[in-house]
mmCIF file of all heavy atoms in Angstrom:
data_model
loop_
_atom_site.group_PDB
_atom_site.id
_atom_site.type_symbol
_atom_site.label_atom_id
_atom_site.label_comp_id
_atom_site.label_asym_id
_atom_site.label_seq_id
_atom_site.Cartn_x
_atom_site.Cartn_y
_atom_site.Cartn_z
ATOM 1 N N MET R 17 -72.414 -102.447 -14.438
ATOM 2 C CA MET R 17 -72.312 -103.608 -13.566
ATOM 3 C C MET R 17 -73.641 -103.980 -13.012
ATOM 4 O O MET R 17 -74.363 -103.109 -12.531
ATOM 5 C CB MET R 17 -71.295 -103.325 -12.455
ATOM 6 C CG MET R 17 -71.020 -104.516 -11.578
ATOM 7 S SD MET R 17 -69.882 -104.133 -10.249
ATOM 8 C CE MET R 17 -68.395 -103.761 -11.113
ATOM 9 N N VAL R 122 -66.255 -103.006 -5.460
ATOM 10 C CA VAL R 122 -65.822 -103.890 -6.532
ATOM 11 C C VAL R 122 -65.791 -103.075 -7.852
ATOM 12 O O VAL R 122 -66.567 -102.144 -8.098
ATOM 13 C CB VAL R 122 -66.869 -105.059 -6.751
ATOM 14 C CG1 VAL R 122 -66.559 -105.852 -8.027
ATOM 15 C CG2 VAL R 122 -66.765 -106.001 -5.553
ATOM 16 N N ALA R 123 -64.789 -103.459 -8.693
ATOM 17 C CA ALA R 123 -64.665 -102.872 -10.021
ATOM 18 C C ALA R 123 -64.234 -103.941 -11.002
ATOM 19 O O ALA R 123 -63.524 -104.890 -10.616
ATOM 20 C CB ALA R 123 -63.679 -101.691 -9.995
ATOM 21 N N GLU R 124 -64.654 -103.810 -12.226
ATOM 22 C CA GLU R 124 -64.138 -104.648 -13.285
ATOM 23 C C GLU R 124 -62.691 -104.198 -13.584
ATOM 24 O O GLU R 124 -62.484 -103.003 -13.887
ATOM 25 C CB GLU R 124 -64.955 -104.566 -14.496
ATOM 26 C CG GLU R 124 -66.333 -105.207 -14.359
ATOM 27 C CD GLU R 124 -66.949 -105.690 -15.623
ATOM 28 O OE1 GLU R 124 -66.210 -106.230 -16.467
ATOM 29 O OE2 GLU R 124 -68.159 -105.517 -15.779
ATOM 30 N N ALA R 125 -61.709 -105.066 -13.441
ATOM 31 C CA ALA R 125 -60.323 -104.660 -13.555
ATOM 32 C C ALA R 125 -60.064 -103.999 -14.871
ATOM 33 O O ALA R 125 -59.265 -103.026 -14.945
ATOM 34 C CB ALA R 125 -59.424 -105.886 -13.355
ATOM 35 N N ALA R 126 -60.638 -104.526 -15.940
ATOM 36 C CA ALA R 126 -60.332 -104.000 -17.279
ATOM 37 C C ALA R 126 -60.932 -102.591 -17.478
ATOM 38 O O ALA R 126 -60.521 -101.891 -18.461
ATOM 39 C CB ALA R 126 -60.886 -104.901 -18.348
ATOM 40 N N SER R 127 -61.835 -102.147 -16.626
ATOM 41 C CA SER R 127 -62.513 -100.868 -16.826
ATOM 42 C C SER R 127 -61.786 -99.741 -16.097
ATOM 43 O O SER R 127 -62.101 -98.521 -16.266
ATOM 44 C CB SER R 127 -63.945 -100.900 -16.354
ATOM 45 O OG SER R 127 -64.024 -100.972 -14.923
ATOM 46 N N LEU R 128 -60.826 -100.084 -15.270
ATOM 47 C CA LEU R 128 -60.149 -99.026 -14.475
ATOM 48 C C LEU R 128 -59.195 -98.201 -15.279
ATOM 49 O O LEU R 128 -58.538 -98.716 -16.193
ATOM 50 C CB LEU R 128 -59.388 -99.667 -13.291
ATOM 51 C CG LEU R 128 -60.267 -100.370 -12.242
ATOM 52 C CD1 LEU R 128 -59.356 -101.038 -11.201
ATOM 53 C CD2 LEU R 128 -61.229 -99.419 -11.575
ATOM 54 N N PRO R 129 -59.101 -96.920 -14.971
ATOM 55 C CA PRO R 129 -58.139 -96.076 -15.736
ATOM 56 C C PRO R 129 -56.717 -96.424 -15.438
ATOM 57 O O PRO R 129 -56.382 -96.982 -14.353
ATOM 58 C CB PRO R 129 -58.490 -94.651 -15.230
ATOM 59 C CG PRO R 129 -59.080 -94.886 -13.877
ATOM 60 C CD PRO R 129 -59.832 -96.153 -13.924
ATOM 61 N N ALA R 130 -55.846 -96.144 -16.377
ATOM 62 C CA ALA R 130 -54.417 -96.346 -16.111
ATOM 63 C C ALA R 130 -53.989 -95.458 -14.962
ATOM 64 O O ALA R 130 -54.533 -94.316 -14.755
ATOM 65 C CB ALA R 130 -53.615 -96.004 -17.379
ATOM 66 N N ASP R 210 -63.885 -115.175 -9.626
ATOM 67 C CA ASP R 210 -63.702 -114.058 -10.488
ATOM 68 C C ASP R 210 -63.044 -112.898 -9.786
ATOM 69 O O ASP R 210 -62.805 -111.813 -10.395
ATOM 70 C CB ASP R 210 -65.093 -113.565 -10.983
ATOM 71 C CG ASP R 210 -65.804 -114.596 -11.834
ATOM 72 O OD1 ASP R 210 -65.120 -115.231 -12.649
ATOM 73 O OD2 ASP R 210 -67.017 -114.785 -11.628
ATOM 74 N N VAL R 233 -53.212 -99.184 -7.157
ATOM 75 C CA VAL R 233 -54.417 -99.911 -7.630
ATOM 76 C C VAL R 233 -54.221 -100.274 -9.081
ATOM 77 O O VAL R 233 -54.481 -101.406 -9.522
ATOM 78 C CB VAL R 233 -55.652 -99.025 -7.471
ATOM 79 C CG1 VAL R 233 -56.867 -99.649 -8.177
ATOM 80 C CG2 VAL R 233 -55.985 -98.813 -5.980
ATOM 81 N N ALA R 234 -53.777 -99.362 -9.940
ATOM 82 C CA ALA R 234 -53.610 -99.617 -11.346
ATOM 83 C C ALA R 234 -52.603 -100.708 -11.586
ATOM 84 O O ALA R 234 -52.749 -101.589 -12.460
ATOM 85 C CB ALA R 234 -53.171 -98.318 -12.073
ATOM 86 N N ARG R 236 -51.808 -103.251 -9.622
ATOM 87 C CA ARG R 236 -52.384 -104.530 -9.300
ATOM 88 C C ARG R 236 -53.476 -104.928 -10.273
ATOM 89 O O ARG R 236 -53.676 -106.116 -10.561
ATOM 90 C CB ARG R 236 -52.859 -104.509 -7.833
ATOM 91 C CG ARG R 236 -51.745 -104.465 -6.794
ATOM 92 C CD ARG R 236 -52.229 -104.282 -5.380
ATOM 93 N NE ARG R 236 -52.738 -102.954 -5.140
ATOM 94 C CZ ARG R 236 -53.366 -102.572 -4.025
ATOM 95 N NH1 ARG R 236 -53.576 -103.459 -3.041
ATOM 96 N NH2 ARG R 236 -53.774 -101.329 -3.884
ATOM 97 N N ALA R 237 -54.219 -103.966 -10.780
ATOM 98 C CA ALA R 237 -55.266 -104.251 -11.727
ATOM 99 C C ALA R 237 -54.659 -104.917 -13.004
ATOM 100 O O ALA R 237 -55.215 -105.863 -13.534
ATOM 101 C CB ALA R 237 -56.037 -103.018 -12.134
ATOM 102 N N ARG R 238 -53.560 -104.395 -13.436
ATOM 103 C CA ARG R 238 -52.925 -104.958 -14.618
ATOM 104 C C ARG R 238 -52.509 -106.419 -14.408
ATOM 105 O O ARG R 238 -52.673 -107.308 -15.281
ATOM 106 C CB ARG R 238 -51.643 -104.172 -15.029
ATOM 107 C CG ARG R 238 -51.983 -102.785 -15.643
ATOM 108 C CD ARG R 238 -50.757 -102.197 -16.270
ATOM 109 N NE ARG R 238 -49.701 -101.887 -15.322
ATOM 110 C CZ ARG R 238 -49.599 -100.756 -14.646
ATOM 111 N NH1 ARG R 238 -50.488 -99.762 -14.857
ATOM 112 N NH2 ARG R 238 -48.608 -100.547 -13.774
ATOM 113 N N ILE R 239 -52.017 -106.709 -13.198
ATOM 114 C CA ILE R 239 -51.597 -108.079 -12.878
ATOM 115 C C ILE R 239 -52.839 -109.018 -12.807
ATOM 116 O O ILE R 239 -52.833 -110.124 -13.292
ATOM 117 C CB ILE R 239 -50.835 -108.098 -11.546
ATOM 118 C CG1 ILE R 239 -49.531 -107.316 -11.704
ATOM 119 C CG2 ILE R 239 -50.518 -109.542 -11.141
ATOM 120 C CD1 ILE R 239 -48.723 -107.118 -10.427
ATOM 121 N N ALA R 240 -53.916 -108.518 -12.224
ATOM 122 C CA ALA R 240 -55.156 -109.303 -12.101
ATOM 123 C C ALA R 240 -55.678 -109.651 -13.496
ATOM 124 O O ALA R 240 -56.102 -110.805 -13.761
ATOM 125 C CB ALA R 240 -56.198 -108.516 -11.327
ATOM 126 N N ILE R 241 -55.666 -108.661 -14.428
ATOM 127 C CA ILE R 241 -56.108 -108.945 -15.746
ATOM 128 C C ILE R 241 -55.264 -110.027 -16.450
ATOM 129 O O ILE R 241 -55.769 -110.944 -17.085
ATOM 130 C CB ILE R 241 -56.105 -107.669 -16.614
ATOM 131 C CG1 ILE R 241 -57.178 -106.655 -16.052
ATOM 132 C CG2 ILE R 241 -56.387 -107.960 -18.083
ATOM 133 C CD1 ILE R 241 -57.017 -105.262 -16.595
ATOM 134 N N GLU R 242 -53.953 -109.910 -16.276
ATOM 135 C CA GLU R 242 -52.992 -110.875 -16.859
ATOM 136 C C GLU R 242 -53.295 -112.271 -16.353
ATOM 137 O O GLU R 242 -53.092 -113.268 -17.071
ATOM 138 C CB GLU R 242 -51.562 -110.467 -16.536
ATOM 139 C CG GLU R 242 -51.130 -109.199 -17.250
ATOM 140 C CD GLU R 242 -49.783 -108.699 -16.718
ATOM 141 O OE1 GLU R 242 -49.212 -109.322 -15.768
ATOM 142 O OE2 GLU R 242 -49.287 -107.689 -17.223
ATOM 143 N N GLY R 244 -56.248 -113.375 -15.420
ATOM 144 C CA GLY R 244 -57.569 -113.834 -15.747
ATOM 145 C C GLY R 244 -58.661 -113.524 -14.740
ATOM 146 O O GLY R 244 -59.735 -114.121 -14.818
ATOM 147 N N TYR R 245 -58.427 -112.580 -13.854
ATOM 148 C CA TYR R 245 -59.420 -112.182 -12.873
ATOM 149 C C TYR R 245 -60.272 -111.026 -13.381
ATOM 150 O O TYR R 245 -59.722 -110.060 -13.902
ATOM 151 C CB TYR R 245 -58.792 -111.852 -11.530
ATOM 152 C CG TYR R 245 -58.298 -113.082 -10.808
ATOM 153 C CD1 TYR R 245 -56.995 -113.593 -11.066
ATOM 154 C CD2 TYR R 245 -59.042 -113.747 -9.871
ATOM 155 C CE1 TYR R 245 -56.553 -114.765 -10.466
ATOM 156 C CE2 TYR R 245 -58.615 -114.883 -9.248
ATOM 157 C CZ TYR R 245 -57.343 -115.388 -9.528
ATOM 158 O OH TYR R 245 -56.902 -116.522 -8.924
ATOM 159 N N ARG R 246 -61.579 -111.185 -13.253
ATOM 160 C CA ARG R 246 -62.473 -110.102 -13.786
ATOM 161 C C ARG R 246 -62.625 -108.927 -12.836
ATOM 162 O O ARG R 246 -62.663 -107.781 -13.270
ATOM 163 C CB ARG R 246 -63.835 -110.718 -14.094
ATOM 164 C CG ARG R 246 -64.827 -109.706 -14.666
ATOM 165 C CD ARG R 246 -66.122 -110.363 -15.083
ATOM 166 N NE ARG R 246 -67.022 -109.389 -15.628
ATOM 167 C CZ ARG R 246 -68.251 -109.682 -16.093
ATOM 168 N NH1 ARG R 246 -68.687 -110.930 -16.043
ATOM 169 N NH2 ARG R 246 -69.034 -108.736 -16.591
ATOM 170 N N TYR R 247 -62.776 -109.232 -11.532
ATOM 171 C CA TYR R 247 -63.125 -108.155 -10.562
ATOM 172 C C TYR R 247 -62.009 -107.929 -9.573
ATOM 173 O O TYR R 247 -61.303 -108.897 -9.141
ATOM 174 C CB TYR R 247 -64.416 -108.573 -9.822
ATOM 175 C CG TYR R 247 -65.615 -108.714 -10.651
ATOM 176 C CD1 TYR R 247 -66.221 -109.943 -10.796
ATOM 177 C CD2 TYR R 247 -66.243 -107.582 -11.261
ATOM 178 C CE1 TYR R 247 -67.372 -110.117 -11.574
ATOM 179 C CE2 TYR R 247 -67.362 -107.750 -12.045
ATOM 180 C CZ TYR R 247 -67.940 -108.996 -12.184
ATOM 181 O OH TYR R 247 -69.066 -109.124 -12.935
ATOM 182 N N LEU R 248 -61.889 -106.690 -9.165
ATOM 183 C CA LEU R 248 -61.115 -106.357 -7.979
ATOM 184 C C LEU R 248 -62.040 -105.991 -6.844
ATOM 185 O O LEU R 248 -63.036 -105.293 -7.042
ATOM 186 C CB LEU R 248 -60.213 -105.109 -8.272
ATOM 187 C CG LEU R 248 -59.155 -105.250 -9.362
ATOM 188 C CD1 LEU R 248 -58.371 -103.936 -9.485
ATOM 189 C CD2 LEU R 248 -58.246 -106.408 -9.077
ATOM 190 N N LEU R 263 -62.285 -93.797 -9.042
ATOM 191 C CA LEU R 263 -61.619 -94.694 -9.993
ATOM 192 C C LEU R 263 -62.662 -95.553 -10.699
ATOM 193 O O LEU R 263 -62.361 -96.221 -11.699
ATOM 194 C CB LEU R 263 -60.615 -95.591 -9.282
ATOM 195 C CG LEU R 263 -59.356 -94.900 -8.846
ATOM 196 C CD1 LEU R 263 -58.465 -95.874 -8.031
ATOM 197 C CD2 LEU R 263 -58.554 -94.382 -10.027
ATOM 198 N N GLY R 264 -63.867 -95.571 -10.182
ATOM 199 C CA GLY R 264 -64.925 -96.407 -10.797
ATOM 200 C C GLY R 264 -65.394 -97.640 -10.041
ATOM 201 O O GLY R 264 -66.093 -98.438 -10.583
ATOM 202 N N PHE R 265 -64.959 -97.739 -8.760
ATOM 203 C CA PHE R 265 -65.435 -98.887 -7.983
ATOM 204 C C PHE R 265 -66.890 -98.642 -7.533
ATOM 205 O O PHE R 265 -67.343 -97.527 -7.369
ATOM 206 C CB PHE R 265 -64.542 -99.053 -6.708
ATOM 207 C CG PHE R 265 -63.266 -99.767 -6.914
ATOM 208 C CD1 PHE R 265 -62.203 -99.123 -7.620
ATOM 209 C CD2 PHE R 265 -63.081 -101.039 -6.495
ATOM 210 C CE1 PHE R 265 -61.029 -99.795 -7.853
ATOM 211 C CE2 PHE R 265 -61.895 -101.721 -6.720
ATOM 212 C CZ PHE R 265 -60.840 -101.088 -7.352
#
Side-chain angles (χ1 to χ4, degrees):
M17 183 183 294
V122 169
E124 292 205 39
S127 72
L128 294 177
D210 297 319
V233 171
R236 289 174 288 173
R238 287 194 296 271
I239 297 172
I241 293 168
E242 290 169 0
Y245 287 85
R246 181 175 181 181
Y247 298 112
L248 298 180
L263 288 175
F265 279 74

